[in-house]
């Protein structure tokens, strides 16, 4: 597709500028493992907040939310409206808990409660999740870039992965959170620009967006029927509560940001700011999908026949935006993907270093050796993520299959964590039995061979609940009221 000189210029200046800015933190990050993994607790609250916001947003949100609302309604917003529950709990429970433990790893707390087996199990699950997350994000980023620029998908995956890998290795967590902040700002500006241009581009004025959308029930939050087989308001609400609790309660990406803040109070401010910022931004993306529906309903000749819902927004970005704004929005899309990939690479390296290397070599105090471990691990995770992204290109339905598998991992993680919060000393055998039972339930609900009638959003809800309930009951039986 034809793009203007200004579009290319803005895009390349942004990508190059972000990479160079990230690399500029090399001197700070090479001071030692503490600088590389938690910036020695020196990050301002607003940067922590913007980084948490950028971590939450990805190329999936950037394209998925408009695509979903274009094809359906505002059902996806129910998920976002559950974020305040998780952010309040993060402020009251999670942040003081992790900063009290004092480890940059989210999973040392589980070792204190259950023993090293729980920490090892959850860390392995997390690493598997992040490697595949890197691959899936790179692929999802490459697909619209291929549509817009015509560039080879495999080459986009490799180049994007390498650029992000370089600055995340050289700059450490400081580079990740500061570039997150810049990318988050660019993303918000790009989203607002799209929403305004679509709204004021309606043939009969802005009010036409709302009249067409309302006539087609586009502002509905979804069905309120009492069924577990459809993404009703209640199903999405439960999914949003559990997934957001998982993100803010045990996801290393978030916990690591809690540790980068100067104080606990600063971490709380940043987390509340970043979490709550996502709600209006998500609303903008959902609105974009609704506005595009109204726009192309009023001007059907502007959209090629057969264009699928997830490709409508990329098509509009190239053909419906003024020169320069297109480059800005493409840069916004790229920013969402780069931010997510850099976060996963750094957090994975941190987990390997803290949860495995330091456990195997607890007396090792060689700062240079520590940095080599972190650099090597980052490179391996980045390379594996690029490989997974390339492999996903030739497999139909691999993304859906992977997210179901990720639910298996994450369900066990969250269930163990919630059990540890309620039980002062959870029984080890009871916990293992509970995890096995929970994973069996999750596998039944996730794997196509069983044809579970329950909607996939409820996988993490049922899996987590089973682990918590069984673990609690067995611990109560084995230890009484202690």
């Amino acid at each position: 597709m034809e793009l203007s000189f200004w579009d290319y210029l803005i895009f390349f200046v942004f990508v190059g500028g972000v990479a160079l800015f990230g690399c500029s933190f090399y001197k700070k990050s090479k001071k030692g493992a503490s600088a590389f993994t938690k910036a020695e607790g020196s990050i301002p609250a607003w940067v922590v907040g913007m980084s948490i916001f950028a971590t939450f947003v990805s190329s999936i949100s950037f394209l998925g939310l408009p695509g979903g609302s274009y094809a359906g309604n505002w059902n996806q917003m129910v998920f976002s409206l559950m974020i305040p529950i998780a952010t309040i709990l993060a402020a009251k429970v999670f942040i003081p808990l992790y900063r009290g433990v004092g480890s940059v790893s989210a999973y040392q707390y589980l070792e204190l409660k259950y023993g090293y087996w729980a920490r090892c199990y959850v860390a392995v699950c997390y690493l598997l999740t992040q490697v595949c997350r890197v691959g899936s994000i790179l692929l999802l980023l490459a697909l619209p870039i291929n549509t817009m620029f015509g560039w080879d998908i495999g080459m986009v995956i490799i180049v994007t992965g390498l650029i992000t890998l370089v600055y995340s290795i050289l700059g450490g967590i400081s580079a990740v959170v500061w570039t997150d902040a810049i990318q988050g700002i660019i993303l918000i500006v790009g989203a607002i620009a799209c929403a305004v241009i679509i709204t004021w581009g309606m043939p009969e004025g802005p009010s036409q967006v709302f009249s067409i959308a309302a006539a087609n029930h586009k502002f509905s939050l979804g069905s309120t029927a009492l069924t577990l087989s459809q993404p009703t308001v209640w199903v999405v609400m439960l999914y949003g509560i559990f997934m957001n609790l998982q993100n803010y309660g045990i996801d290393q990406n978030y916990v690591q940001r809690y540790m980068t803040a100067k104080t606990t109070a600063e971490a709380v401010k940043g987390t509340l700011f970043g979490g709550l910022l996502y709600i209006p931004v998500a609303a903008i993306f959902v609105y974009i999908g609704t506005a595009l529906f109204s726009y192309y309903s009023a001007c059907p000749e502007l959209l090629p026949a057969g264009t699928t819902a997830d490709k409508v927004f990329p098509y509009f970005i190239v053909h419906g935006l003024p020169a320069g704004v297109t480059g800005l929005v493409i840069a916004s899309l790229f920013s969402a993907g780069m931010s997510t990939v850099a976060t996963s690479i750094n957090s994975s390296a941190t987990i390997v270093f803290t949860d495995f290397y330091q456990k195997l070599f607890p007396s090792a105090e060689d700062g240079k050796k520590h940095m080599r471990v972190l650099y090597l691990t980052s490179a391996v995770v980045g390379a594996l993520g690029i490989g997974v992204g390339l492999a996903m290109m030739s497999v139909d339905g691999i993304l859906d299959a992977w997210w179901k598998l990720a639910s298996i991992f994450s369900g066990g993680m969250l269930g163990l964590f919630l059990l540890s919060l309620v039980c002062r000393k959870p029984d080890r055998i009871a916990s293992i039995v509970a995890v096995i039972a929970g994973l069996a339930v999750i596998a039944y609900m996730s794997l196509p061979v069983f044809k579970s009638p329950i909607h996939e959003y409820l996988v993490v809800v049922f899996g987590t609940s089973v682990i918590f309930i069984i673990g609690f009951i067995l611990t109560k039986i084995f230890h009484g009221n202690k």
Side-chain angles (χ1 to χ4, degrees):
M1 298 181 180
E2 291 296 328
L3 296 176
S4 72
F5 165 79
W6 295 109
D7 294 323
Y8 280 105
L9 179 63
I10 291 173
F11 175 77
F12 285 114
V13 166
F14 170 80
V15 174
V18 166
L20 291 174
F21 180 66
C23 292
S24 70
F25 290 92
Y26 174 65
K27 288 185 178 181
K28 292 184 179 180
S29 70
K30 73 174 184 177
K31 292 179 180 179
S34 177
F36 187 89
T37 59
K38 60 179 182 179
E40 298 179 310
S42 62
I43 305 298
W46 75 270
V47 178
V48 172
M50 287 302 300
S51 182
I52 287 176
F53 163 76
T55 298
F56 212 106
V57 179
S58 67
S59 49
I60 297 175
S61 300
F62 199 104
L63 299 175
L65 292 179
S69 57
Y70 179 90
N73 49 38
W74 281 48
N75 180 250
Q76 299 166 102
M77 273 303 298
V78 177
F79 176 92
S80 301
L81 294 175
M82 298 301 104
I83 290 179
I85 297 175
T87 55
I88 292 172
L89 284 174
K92 298 292 185 181
V93 179
F94 305 146
I95 295 175
L97 173 69
Y98 286 118
R99 290 185 67 94
V101 172
S103 173
V104 72
S105 168
Y107 311 128
Q108 181 172 329
Y109 171 74
L110 292 179
E111 181 181 7
L112 298 176
K113 284 287 189 173
Y114 298 100
Y116 183 64
W117 74 268
R119 181 178 184 177
C120 182
Y121 158 71
V122 173
V124 169
C125 290
Y126 179 80
L127 290 173
L128 291 173
T129 303
Q130 295 307 303
V131 168
C132 290
R133 185 187 188 207
V134 170
S136 62
I137 293 298
L138 288 174
L139 176 57
L140 289 170
L141 180 61
L143 291 174
I145 295 298
N146 168 262
T147 301
M148 297 172 189
F149 289 94
W151 298 344
D152 179 73
I153 293 176
M155 186 58 63
V156 174
I157 290 174
I158 294 172
V159 172
T160 306
L162 289 177
I163 291 174
T164 309
L165 178 60
V166 167
Y167 81 72
S168 62
I169 288 179
L170 294 180
I173 191 65
S174 294
V176 173
V177 295
W178 277 100
T179 54
D180 277 353
I182 295 174
Q183 291 164 336
I185 294 171
I186 296 296
L187 184 146
I188 293 172
V189 171
I192 293 174
C194 285
V196 170
I197 290 171
I198 297 170
T199 303
W200 289 94
M202 295 296 295
E204 298 178 11
S207 62
Q208 192 178 15
V209 169
F210 301 94
S211 61
I212 294 177
N216 289 272
H217 309 289
K218 286 293 181 178
F219 293 114
S220 168
L221 293 178
S223 169
T224 56
L226 298 178
T227 175
L228 299 181
S229 61
Q230 300 295 325
T232 64
V233 170
W234 317 117
V235 168
V236 178
M237 186 180 296
L238 284 173
Y239 176 68
I241 292 172
F242 276 74
M243 286 302 297
N244 285 311
L245 282 177
Q246 176 185 298
N247 290 332
Y248 286 90
I250 199 167
D251 191 317
Q252 175 66 22
N253 293 324
Y254 292 77
V255 174
Q256 198 164 340
R257 278 150 181 76
Y258 302 159
M259 304 304 292
T260 63
K262 298 177 181 179
T263 63
T264 299
E266 289 279 284
V268 168
K269 289 179 184 177
T271 301
L272 291 174
F273 168 64
L276 298 179
L277 176 63
Y278 180 81
I279 298 176
V281 175
I284 293 173
F285 280 119
V286 173
Y287 171 78
I288 287 173
T290 301
L292 285 172
F293 176 86
S294 298
Y295 180 76
Y296 286 121
S297 294
C299 308
E301 70 281 0
L302 298 180
L303 183 68
T307 304
T308 57
D310 60 337
K311 293 182 179 179
V312 171
F313 188 32
Y315 182 86
F316 177 82
I317 290 173
V318 175
H319 294 279
L321 295 177
V325 178
T326 297
L328 174 66
V329 175
I330 295 175
S332 302
L333 171 60
F334 224 72
S335 73
M338 291 175 66
S339 171
T340 305
V341 172
T343 294
S344 293
I345 290 173
N346 185 270
S347 64
S348 297
T350 300
I351 287 299
V352 172
F353 176 74
T354 57
D355 293 42
F356 296 103
Y357 177 79
Q358 288 191 315
K359 293 295 292 186
L360 293 173
F361 307 101
S363 60
E365 297 181 0
D366 187 344
K368 292 183 178 180
K369 184 177 290 185
H370 290 176
M371 294 308 298
R372 285 197 295 269
V373 172
L374 288 166
Y375 291 153
L376 178 60
T377 306
S378 298
V380 170
V381 172
L384 290 175
I386 291 172
V388 169
L390 295 173
M392 286 179 172
M393 291 170 54
S394 59
V395 181
D396 292 334
I398 188 64
L399 294 179
D400 289 338
W402 165 246
W403 289 122
K404 290 180 180 179
L405 187 58
S407 295
I408 296 177
F409 296 146
S410 61
M413 294 163 63
L414 181 60
L416 273 178
F417 179 75
L418 294 178
L419 181 62
S420 71
L421 288 179
V422 175
C423 297
R424 184 171 60 87
K425 189 67 176 178
D427 184 83
R428 182 174 299 183
I429 301 300
S431 304
I432 295 174
V433 171
V435 169
I436 294 173
L439 293 182
V441 170
I442 294 172
Y444 165 74
M445 295 178 62
S446 301
L447 300 179
V449 66
F450 296 113
K451 299 180 180 179
S452 170
I454 300 175
H455 195 273
E456 59 187 13
Y457 283 177
L458 294 175
V459 170
V460 67
V461 176
F462 278 78
T464 299
S465 300
V466 167
I467 291 173
F468 174 79
I469 293 171
I470 291 180
F472 180 81
I473 292 174
L474 291 180
T475 296
K476 191 80 169 176
I477 291 173
F478 293 157
H479 297 283
N481 292 322
K482 292 183 180 179

